[in-house]
Amino acid sequence: MLGRLNHVAIAVRDAEKAAKIYGAAFGADISAAVPLPEHGVITVFAALPNTKIEFIQPLGEASPIAKFIERNADGGIHHICYEVPDIVATRDILIAEGARVLGDGEPKIGAHGKPVLFFHPKDFSGALVEIEQS
């Protein structure tokens, strides 16, 4: 049911600036900045051989990561994302096991153009977990 690690997301004030060192120091391919108004963030991806690093910066004052950045001025790991073959079936199993889905419980289209859901960090040892349809 659980697929590969898709990405680790790091919340930052400036996603393009934060991603730059991954390109310069590690030779990672760096994506263009992409605003995602429906999620309240701007994303930049650094592609590594086995996964991706997603840099997210707040998009507007109502961004869901704005408070995270206020508390962590230098940025920090925000969430981890796993691929799943069936996002709705996985959601239902996780809910049945006691996990709390964030938002309205319906998948939204994420940065890769695929459905995503987020789960409460208190249900995953303090880690905010995102699942993405593979």
Side-chain angles (χ1 to χ4, degrees):
M1 174 168 86
L2 189 62
R4 72 181 198 93
L5 175 67
N6 183 281
H7 66 267
V8 174
I10 301 174
V12 296
R13 292 187 184 279
D14 184 331
E16 289 178 297
K17 180 180 176 185
K20 187 176 180 181
I21 193 167
Y22 281 77
F26 303 125
D29 290 328
I30 306 300
S31 75
V34 177
L36 298 174
E38 62 278 11
H39 293 279
V41 297
I42 295 170
T43 65
V44 175
F45 283 91
L48 306 175
N50 62 342
T51 193
K52 295 180 282 293
I53 305 296
E54 177 187 34
F55 295 93
I56 53 176
Q57 80 179 52
L59 179 60
E61 293 179 18
S63 171
I65 66 163
K67 287 185 181 178
F68 183 93
I69 293 294
E70 284 178 24
R71 290 188 307 269
N72 303 279
D74 293 329
I77 293 177
H78 184 262
H79 68 268
I80 54 176
C81 177
Y82 300 106
E83 294 177 0
V84 296
D86 184 333
I87 196 167
V88 173
T90 302
R91 175 201 62 196
D92 293 347
I93 291 167
L94 290 171
I95 290 171
E97 291 296 321
R100 292 168 284 175
V101 66
L102 300 179
D104 65 8
E106 293 302 316
K108 306 275 187 284
I109 300 302
H112 300 114
K114 297 179 179 181
V116 299
L117 285 168
F118 287 87
F119 289 85
H120 201 289
K122 289 185 179 177
D123 301 327
F124 290 91
S125 305
L128 177 61
V129 169
E130 177 184 17
I131 58 172
E132 177 182 282
Q133 179 81 39
S134 59

